[in-house]
Amino acid sequence: MIFTGDFVFVGDIGRPDLLEKAAGITGTQEKGAHEMYRSVQDFSKLPPHIQVWPGHGAGSACGKALGSVPSSTVGYEKIRNWAFRFESDEEGFVQYLLEGQPEPPKYFAMMKKLNKIERPLLTEVPKHPKLSETEFLQKYNDGIKVIDTRNKVEFAKGFIPGSINIQKNKTLSTWAGWLLSYDEDFVIVAPEEEMEEITRKLMRIGLDRIAGFISDVNLPGIKLEQADVINIEEFKTYLGKEEVQIVDVRGKTEYEEGHVEGAENVFVGTLPQNLDKISRDKKVVIHCQSGDRSAIAYSLLKKNGFNHVKNYSGGMKEWREKENPVTS
């Protein structure tokens, strides 16, 4: 077997643009793409039966479309991985590799810094305290950030005002890395039996300032809010209305490949820095691909005082399945 790290993934390969985009080291992505081409040619000479074990899978921002299975073989990748279709076309390979890459999470730059400095050795997953109602309320009233990792459907039924919904799934660490600061404490909402996995996911990117957790959002003195989630038929009634702003919170490349006519693109990862692009006077209707990112965006907007927000959770997936028109 071969451990390929950030080189060959299942169905994809690593991206050479991160040093330039995330760490600001200019002039590295073109050089890295050409080096990647030569490495792929060398890789293709390996025997087809060798198992391939990459460092990342689906949900990672280290490539365009990583497969969800944990391993592959050299032979399978040579057949199914796009990178092996450019055997004698280096320039075509470089162009395809560099175009359409997802936005690099802002924590990438911090990770590169942390990897170069002395850090305490972690030999086990830290255990965090389950906060009492009094302990949580004190932290909450002091303004600590609350990350609710429950499923988006459960979150929508009732959530603590100001909390951010980042579901405990394969992209938990990615979105936490976009939206959490390395110098702030935060509280987790999750069942106790899930805390070890959540802690493990977050500590892998250096987010280890968990100040405790709670498992029940029904607390005295806190009136829960409910998310305003709408279906496709209601979504259609808002299209083309002057008094409504439609916001697509997917990535730029996804948006450019096809979007609902009239929708504006504000990527969820940079939403806190672009709140000025969201109207406080109009009704705001948000969506993404299939509802996960729009759930994050909805909670962020509510946290920042936007009170006229609706979430079309079906997103572009449902929109296309119903054969509705898209524009690019």
Side-chain angles (χ1 to χ4, degrees), residues 47-121:
H49 66 272
I50 291 181
Q51 295 179 34
V52 175
W53 290 86
H56 301 286
S60 170
C62 291
K64 297 182 188 181
L66 282 65
S68 58
V69 294
S71 66
S72 181
T73 64
V74 171
Y76 187 83
E77 292 310 304
K78 287 174 67 175
I79 295 171
R80 302 296 298 174
N81 193 316
W82 70 264
F84 297 89
R85 300 174 192 162
F86 295 85
E87 186 175 355
S88 56
D89 183 7
E90 184 169 349
E91 291 306 318
F93 172 92
V94 169
Q95 180 180 346
Y96 188 86
L97 176 58
L98 294 179
E99 69 182 9
Q101 291 287 2
E103 292 84 349
K106 67 177 185 179
Y107 73 85
F108 275 22
M110 176 60 75
M111 285 175 62
K112 291 185 181 299
K113 174 184 176 182
L114 295 178
N115 284 340
K116 293 180 179 179
I117 63 175
E118 288 292 328
R119 298 272 288 169
L121 182 63

Side-chain angles (χ1 to χ4, degrees), residues 241-268:
K241 299 287 181 66
E242 181 64 30
E243 67 275 16
V244 178
Q245 181 185 19
I246 308 295
V247 181
D248 184 333
V249 300
R250 296 177 300 157
K252 179 182 177 182
T253 299
E254 294 171 283
Y255 175 82
E256 291 176 346
E257 288 176 349
H259 56 268
V260 177
E261 185 174 0
E264 301 174 41
N265 183 217
V266 183
F267 174 55
V268 63

Side-chain angles (χ1 to χ4, degrees), residues 147-312:
I147 306 301
D148 192 328
T149 66
R150 293 178 299 155
N151 178 276
K152 63 190 175 189
V153 176
E154 292 303 312
F155 179 85
K157 292 177 181 177
F159 61 91
I160 295 172
S163 60
I164 302 172
N165 183 212
I166 307 179
Q167 300 176 89
K168 185 197 75 72
N169 56 25
K170 62 189 178 184
T171 59
L172 169 68
S173 58
T174 295
W175 298 117
W178 271 110
L179 301 170
L180 292 174
S181 170
Y182 279 83
D183 58 4
E184 67 178 341
D185 294 340
F186 55 94
V187 171
I188 296 290
V189 176
E192 187 167 359
E193 63 270 18
E194 294 182 359
M195 277 304 297
E196 179 176 345
E197 181 183 355
I198 291 169
T199 303
R200 188 186 297 274
K201 287 176 179 290
L202 296 180
M203 64 188 275
R204 281 175 174 164
I205 63 168
L207 287 172
D208 48 17
R209 297 191 59 166
I210 300 175
F213 73 97
I214 59 171
S215 298
D216 188 358
V217 296
N218 295 288
L219 298 168
I222 295 182
K223 184 179 180 180
L224 299 182
E225 295 184 356
Q226 293 183 325
D228 192 349
V229 180
I230 64 174
N231 60 29
I232 190 171
E233 297 306 321
E234 184 174 349
F235 177 67
K236 287 180 178 179
T237 66
Y238 296 118
L239 300 179
K241 299 287 181 66
E242 181 64 30
E243 67 275 16
V244 178
Q245 181 185 19
I246 308 295
V247 181
D248 184 333
V249 300
R250 296 177 300 157
K252 179 182 177 182
T253 299
E254 294 171 283
Y255 175 82
E256 291 176 346
E257 288 176 349
H259 56 268
V260 177
E261 185 174 0
E264 301 174 41
N265 183 217
V266 183
F267 174 55
V268 63
T270 57
L271 182 58
Q273 292 78 45
N274 289 287
L275 294 174
D276 59 324
K277 296 180 181 179
I278 309 298
S279 175
R280 291 187 180 272
D281 302 317
K282 297 181 178 182
K283 190 186 301 294
V284 177
V285 182
I286 62 173
H287 73 85
C288 61
Q289 179 66 16
S290 57
D292 287 2
R293 286 174 287 181
S294 62
I296 298 173
Y298 185 92
S299 63
L300 286 170
L301 291 174
K302 293 294 289 185
K303 178 179 175 61
N304 285 279
F306 290 84
N307 296 316
H308 307 292
V309 184
K310 294 180 181 291
N311 176 13
Y312 168 42

